[in-house]
Amino acid sequence: MKKRKEMDHEIPLDLLMEILVRLPAKSLRRFILVSKIWSSMIQSQVFIDYFFSISSTRPRFFVAFTNCCFEKYKERRLFYYMSSSSSQSQEGHESSPSSSLVTNLDTIMPYLAVCDFYGSCSSVHGFIGCSLGVGFLVCNPSTRQVIVLPTLPKRPAPDMRGTCLCYDPVSDQFKALSLIASRIPTQDHVEHLVLTLKGDNTKYSWRQIKGGNNNNIPPYSPVTMKICINGKVYYGAWTPKVRMNPVIVCFDVRSEEITFIKAPIDVVFWYSESVLMEYKGKLASIVRNPFNRFDRFDFWVLEDVEKHEWSKQECVFPLSLWDSVWGLKMSFPGTNKAGDEIILAPRYLSRQLGPYYIFYYHLGTNNIRRVTVHGIADDEEFRRSYGFENTVREFPVFISPEHVENLRIL
């Protein structure tokens, strides 16, 4: 058998890179141990950048869920699942309204649980930002790096806190944005705290944003989830007080300046039920009455940021669709890669053992297809081992349909 050093010299380095860069991150973590040459190449910035460019063309379907929000600390688990491909394209769905997607358990993180009302778990440029109710962590499933952000400063008055991970593609910079807003109706003060993920082992700390137009930010009350799109963080709000003048607040990740965009009242009306998502690089919103039968929704798209212009499309689908899912609480994690289908998914795992279904709604034809996601807690032994049986609790599911693997270390 040839020695590893001999093998390294026999394979040209440029060919070796072309081979390795097309392998999944899970394999590359093992291949770092093959030799010093392999280790040096895989961990080089050139390889990391090249790997991300290749991974961007083959995004993966990412799913996260927890076994419980309030169980004993030692029993908490956060599960990451990954498919070998991204959300399926619309091609061929006319003849095949039902299809399947296979996911595999990628990571089990102990002592963590993401709660539905105060938590989130979303993919941003290959990293996962997890809001744990009272804390926030950043995780890279590709490298297994986990960063627990420092606790937000305490305030004497009751407050609402919300943190999100954001990324600016121009400066290639990750940051975390957190809002601290008073729960007292007569108060409308919002603190904007930012933490920069420098990647140089610096001790992280929160700081208040300053400068630019931030010194003259009018009072407002944030009410919806946050989403990062192309270096901007968007979230819905009322200004100057609740139920007055609906707006979308826009936070520029690079300049850290805040601006307001006029919004239709429907986009922010339902508070935490309001859904913001990316649609072909634009901000979009799913609007529906959460107390009515879920057989329709309105799809709003911010067509022109400068002119504050929105478009609206009414979407209708048959109620028989829900015969195959548990409950009617649905999430809208995004679109397929082409951007012509909206993805709908149950917000919770079924309490009964069975497949997990997601749906693709085509905006052009109004057709809808069902996709079975295999591997999502559909094994009896898995459920028994992690406490999914004999409980009345609901287990929230978080989906990122276009997750890209990233070998970067922060």
Side-chain angles (χ1 to χ4, degrees), residues 190-218:
V190 179
E191 289 187 66
H192 307 84
L193 302 179
V194 174
L195 183 148
T196 303
L197 296 162
K198 298 180 179 180
D200 56 3
N201 295 320
T202 302
K203 186 176 180 180
Y204 296 120
S205 61
W206 295 99
R207 55 184 171 79
Q208 291 198 25
I209 61 172
K210 299 178 181 179
N213 71 343
N214 297 327
N215 295 326
N216 299 309
I217 299 175

Side-chain angles (χ1 to χ4, degrees), residues 19 131 201 290 311 376 393:
I19 294 173
S131 179
N201 295 320
S311 65
I376 305 300
R393 299 187 187 278

Side-chain angles (χ1 to χ4, degrees), residues 344-358:
L344 297 79
R347 288 168 62 175
Y348 303 98
L349 285 177
S350 171
R351 295 190 183 118
Q352 299 178 351
L353 183 65
Y356 183 80
Y357 297 107
I358 60 176

Side-chain angles (χ1 to χ4, degrees), residues 8-167:
D8 288 340
H9 290 297
E10 286 184 3
I11 304 176
L13 291 180
D14 56 347
L15 177 58
L16 180 60
M17 175 176 285
E18 291 296 332
I19 294 173
L20 294 179
V21 79
R22 286 166 171 77
L23 298 177
K26 190 174 184 179
S27 299
L28 293 175
R29 288 198 303 270
R30 297 196 302 267
F31 291 162
I32 286 178
L33 305 177
V34 169
S35 69
K36 290 184 179 179
I37 292 179
W38 284 38
S39 176
S40 177
M41 175 180 289
I42 293 172
Q43 297 181 85
S44 68
Q45 190 61 49
V46 172
F47 186 91
I48 291 173
D49 293 340
Y50 190 18
F51 177 82
F52 185 83
S53 67
I54 297 295
S55 297
S56 298
T57 65
R58 56 183 190 195
R60 297 170 180 266
F61 195 88
F62 176 87
V63 180
F65 63 90
T66 55
N67 55 350
C68 198
C69 290
F70 306 107
E71 288 289 352
K72 296 179 181 178
Y73 176 76
K74 293 183 178 180
E75 297 176 356
R76 294 178 181 176
R77 297 292 184 274
L78 178 59
F79 304 93
Y80 287 162
Y81 282 76
M82 204 97 65
S83 73
S84 58
S85 60
S86 70
S87 53
Q88 300 182 353
S89 66
Q90 170 265 345
E91 184 179 357
H93 81 281
E94 293 283 359
S95 58
S96 179
S98 297
S99 54
S100 62
L101 186 68
V102 178
T103 62
N104 297 299
L105 181 60
D106 183 79
T107 309
I108 300 178
M109 300 183 67
Y111 315 128
L112 294 176
V114 181
C115 299
D116 182 38
F117 293 105
Y118 304 103
S120 62
C121 197
S122 59
S123 173
V124 178
H125 202 69
F127 285 76
I128 306 298
C130 286
S131 179
L132 307 174
V134 295
F136 193 88
L137 67 82
V138 177
C139 169
N140 186 343
S142 299
T143 64
R144 297 299 191 266
Q145 181 188 18
V146 177
I147 302 173
V148 180
L149 301 190
T151 304
L152 292 167
K154 294 182 179 180
R155 295 292 180 262
D159 54 51
M160 299 172 60
R161 296 157 183 248
T163 303
C164 73
L165 177 66
C166 43
Y167 173 77

